[in-house]
Amino acid sequence: MKTLVLAAASLAMMSGAALASSQNGMIAKFNSSARVITLESGKSFTIPRDVALPPVQVGEQVSIQLNDEGDKVTTVLR
């Protein structure tokens, strides 16, 4: 029984990264000076200065990766 509990706890700890979420969509607006991307869905994301921002423009498809809490952008992919 202890083995089963330990295995389940280990699996839960290792899958923490899988809880991070992502938002995919087409860029509707992009404010480069404020580092804000707004998707066609209406959701806006402020990209922190410590996160690399690839060259993006309105009309491009992007994937915005968020931290586990879903309140901070960790990666922007084209």
Side-chain angles (χ1 to χ4, degrees):
M1 186 65 168
K2 285 183 183 180
T3 305
L4 180 61
V5 171
L6 288 174
S10 296
L11 182 60
M13 288 177 64
M14 291 186 324
S15 66
L19 298 176
S21 64
S22 67
Q23 296 288 321
N24 301 318
M26 185 130 351
I27 299 174
K29 293 186 225 175
F30 175 55
N31 182 330
S32 60
S33 60
R35 296 176 58 97
V36 175
I37 294 175
T38 303
L39 301 179
E40 285 185 337
S41 66
K43 292 184 179 182
S44 293
F45 301 92
T46 301
I47 313 305
R49 296 274 176 206
D50 63 338
V51 173
L53 183 60
V56 295
Q57 49 188 315
V58 172
E60 283 188 322
Q61 188 77 18
V62 292
S63 176
I64 298 175
Q65 310 294 313
L66 304 169
N67 65 354
D68 291 340
E69 290 80 31
D71 61 353
K72 182 180 181 227
V73 174
T74 59
T75 310
V76 178
L77 304 171
R78 289 176 52 196

